[in-house]
Amino acid sequence: MRHFAAPGRVNLIGEHTDYSGGLVLPLAIDRGIRLRVEPSDRITLTSEQFDGGVDVAADGSGDAPEGWGRYVAALAQELGDLGRPPAGMAGSLTSDLPAGAGLSSSAALEMAVGTALAALADFPLEPLALAAAGQRAERRAVGVPVGIMDQAASVLGVAGHAILLDCASLAHRAVPLPPDLAVAVLHSGVSRELEGSGYGRRRAELEQGLAALGGRSPREVDPDEAVAAARAAGVGDVAVRRVRHVVTENRRVEATVAALEAGDRPALRRLLEEGHASLRDDYEVSVPELDLLVGLALEHGAVAARMTGGGFGGAIVALVDAEGAEQVVTATAAAYAARTGTDPLTLLTTAVDGAGEREEP
Ligand code: GLA
């Protein structure tokens, strides 16, 4: 038996920027998907956590499976298109990543399966080529036009670091997380699936607005200029606000990296607050539960907090003083439960290395 693992991710900042060649700052978290497999003619997988199993040809062809099997089949097909020989595998999958929390369980599944399929076929694959195959598999499997952030975070993760990724050039570097800060994730309990969410619509609205920039990247213009250009092109208020979010968010990513490197807590607080407000007001992907959780986290002592991931539900990320982190999380969760009747799932997480083959656990 061989073991493969791929982590989920939480994004510190840089939301809805990946699919327009922007900047993102995610970290791979200490929760993810593990596979225990041996070579086989087909791809057959079972799981205790996920409903149903997977049984497809080694190249992913055949009747499209349902549920999580769709991602497995689509990834095998994408790797086949890249020239992977059709070597199969049989085994089981376990997950300690809550689904629907916005922690990229589908990207972790794709990266675990892809790492295993490449290794079992002795097929060399660069981490970012695997990430891009996962991004395409997502579209093939469920028709959602995601960016590359989630898959890239799962393969590029570095212990103790966030990953600054330029989604245009795919250049990346690891940014050390200050050791005196802990990363907390609190799930609102509003389950989110990209499929069926407004994700594709947001992307289309943004692209309408970006067309008004006359071929310039949203990273080349300042916010006032972008808004003026979009208004002048008559694209409508919604598209103007989508563009404003992306232009300002890219700048916040750069400023957040600087603030992390300087250990500047007030700046981190302001940047994450501004990022949250922009996602709420300009990109309109927050929900009242996420707004409430962010407010409560700050009130109960978090250094900084904002919604994380695609939105429409899911989780918030909070930076908390490492000393006393548990208390901040517990107090925030209790206050949220008192207000909403929902006990939020909470994680105090650390940044880990990206997907790969592991020793026997
Ligand atoms: C989802 C997508 C990512 C990214 C985020 C928003 O997680 O999979 O590609 O667009 O939403 O930042």
Side-chain angles (χ1 to χ4, degrees):
M1 284 285 177
R2 292 173 72 174
H3 296 257
F4 300 89
R9 67 96 186 92
V10 65
N11 190 18
L12 279 185
I13 198 155
E15 219 66 84
H16 288 279
T17 49
D18 59 351
Y19 47 80
S20 58
L23 300 173
V24 295
L25 189 64
L27 51 116
I29 61 172
D30 60 354
R31 297 267 190 137
I33 304 269
R34 292 186 80 94
L35 274 178
R36 191 169 171 268
V37 289
E38 60 189 359
S40 176
D41 292 347
R42 295 174 61 78
I43 301 172
T44 45
L45 295 171
T46 57
S47 165
E48 278 181 16
Q49 282 88 14
F50 299 152
D51 288 342
V54 179
D55 181 13
V56 292
D59 62 0
S61 64
D63 287 346
E66 312 222 312
W68 59 284
R70 292 176 296 177
Y71 298 100
V72 176
L75 207 268
Q77 286 172 307
E78 289 296 338
L79 295 188
D81 289 352
L82 294 176
R84 188 192 82 98
M89 60 184 179
S92 59
L93 176 151
T94 52
S95 169
D96 58 4
L97 204 53
L103 298 174
S104 298
S105 53
S106 66
L109 170 63
E110 291 150 12
M111 297 301 94
V113 166
T115 304
L117 287 177
L120 290 168
D122 281 324
F123 181 64
L125 196 59
E126 288 296 319
L128 281 173
L130 173 58
Q135 180 189 7
R136 292 192 300 272
E138 194 96 21
R139 195 186 277 240
R140 193 192 273 254
V142 291
V144 183
V146 294
I148 200 171
M149 169 171 71
D150 305 346
Q151 290 80 4
S154 183
V155 291
L156 296 176
V158 175
H161 293 70
I163 306 298
L164 173 62
L165 174 68
D166 177 330
C167 298
S169 68
L170 296 183
H172 52 92
R173 79 175 168 93
V175 176
L177 292 167
D180 59 343
L181 285 180
V183 179
V185 176
L186 293 96
H187 179 20
S188 64
V190 181
S191 182
R192 145 200 178 271
E193 298 284 342
L194 290 182
E195 212 182 343
S197 77
Y199 188 93
R201 197 165 63 243
R202 288 296 177 283
R203 186 170 173 162
E205 290 160 353
L206 174 68
E207 276 157 15
Q208 212 196 345
L210 290 180
L213 298 184
R216 283 175 302 170
S217 143
R219 282 162 58 193
E220 288 164 2
V221 288
D222 73 34
D224 292 343
E225 216 184 328
V227 167
R231 289 223 169 96
V235 294
D237 184 53
V238 168
V240 170
R241 284 186 287 120
R242 305 300 186 248
V243 170
R244 183 168 57 197
H245 165 71
V246 164
V247 171
T248 56
E249 183 81 348
N250 282 316
R251 294 175 167 226
R252 282 187 288 272
V253 176
E254 286 176 327
T256 301
V257 170
L260 283 172
E261 286 172 344
D264 185 344
R265 292 184 176 200
L268 289 171
R269 186 183 188 95
R270 179 176 49 75
L271 288 161
L272 267 63
E273 265 186 315
E274 288 173 7
H276 184 82
S278 182
L279 287 165
R280 183 191 60 214
D281 303 333
D282 275 353
Y283 224 69
E284 295 179 280
V285 291
S286 188
V287 293
E289 289 85 348
L290 291 171
D291 301 340
L292 176 66
L293 253 183
V294 166
L296 291 173
L298 293 173
E299 204 176 294
H300 288 87
V303 170
R306 63 171 202 95
M307 60 156 277
T308 185
F312 306 101
I316 70 157
V317 60
L319 294 171
V320 284
D321 198 297
E323 221 169 284
E326 299 259 356
Q327 288 91 305
V328 173
V329 171
T330 312
T332 305
Y336 184 75
R339 291 278 288 274
T340 63
T342 301
D343 207 4
L345 184 119
T346 63
L347 315 173
L348 266 175
T349 188
T350 50
V352 300
D353 288 338
E357 183 156 10
R358 305 284 191 253
E359 296 294 308
E360 190 100 14

